[in-house]
Amino acid sequence: MSAAARLAALCGFALLGWQWLWQLWLAPPQSLPGWLAASALSLPILPAVLWWLRRHRHAGFWGAVAALLYFAIGVMEAWTDASARLPGLVQACVAATLVVAASWDGMRARFSKRR
């Protein structure tokens, strides 16, 4: 596993843990239990995390697809809720890092000089 793939996996696990930390401790939701919100928000990244545990070769791609959703949610929370600005920006940064790390090896192979 390359360094970029390891970084993508680390970001995927971080996004999964971040949902629980955010919904249970940092900014719990007002209208429903925090564990329910954290469970629902963990679902998009869960298949990729399970695939990373099994070292499946497409885990990075599906993790990056899920990270696009987390990026959008993070930006939206940071933009609309002042109390969730920092958690939203952290989530957006981790999600963007996952997308770049998951794409890095393919982009390097695509744009490298051929000999």
Side-chain angles (χ1 to χ4, degrees):
M1 186 183 281
S2 70
R6 283 193 299 273
L7 178 60
L10 178 67
C11 289
F13 285 102
L15 279 175
L16 180 65
W18 187 252
Q19 301 312 308
W20 289 90
L21 183 66
W22 186 352
Q23 300 302 323
L24 294 178
W25 186 60
L26 294 175
Q30 304 297 325
S31 59
L32 65 145
W35 65 268
L36 184 61
S39 297
L41 288 171
S42 296
L43 289 177
I45 198 73
L46 193 58
V49 166
L50 294 175
W51 284 340
W52 271 310
L53 289 173
R54 296 185 61 192
R55 299 195 186 278
H56 193 275
R57 65 184 212 143
H58 295 298
F61 171 77
W62 290 109
V65 169
L68 294 174
L69 175 68
Y70 289 115
F71 178 82
I73 291 170
V75 169
M76 186 237 356
E77 288 289 337
W79 187 262
T80 60
D81 187 8
S83 66
R85 183 160 293 138
L86 182 62
L89 290 175
V90 168
Q91 178 168 308
C93 288
V94 172
T97 303
L98 194 157
V99 170
V100 171
S103 305
W104 190 261
D105 289 334
M107 289 178 13
R108 186 183 63 204
R110 168 70 177 93
F111 295 112
S112 66
K113 292 183 179 179
R114 295 197 173 116
R115 295 178 187 222

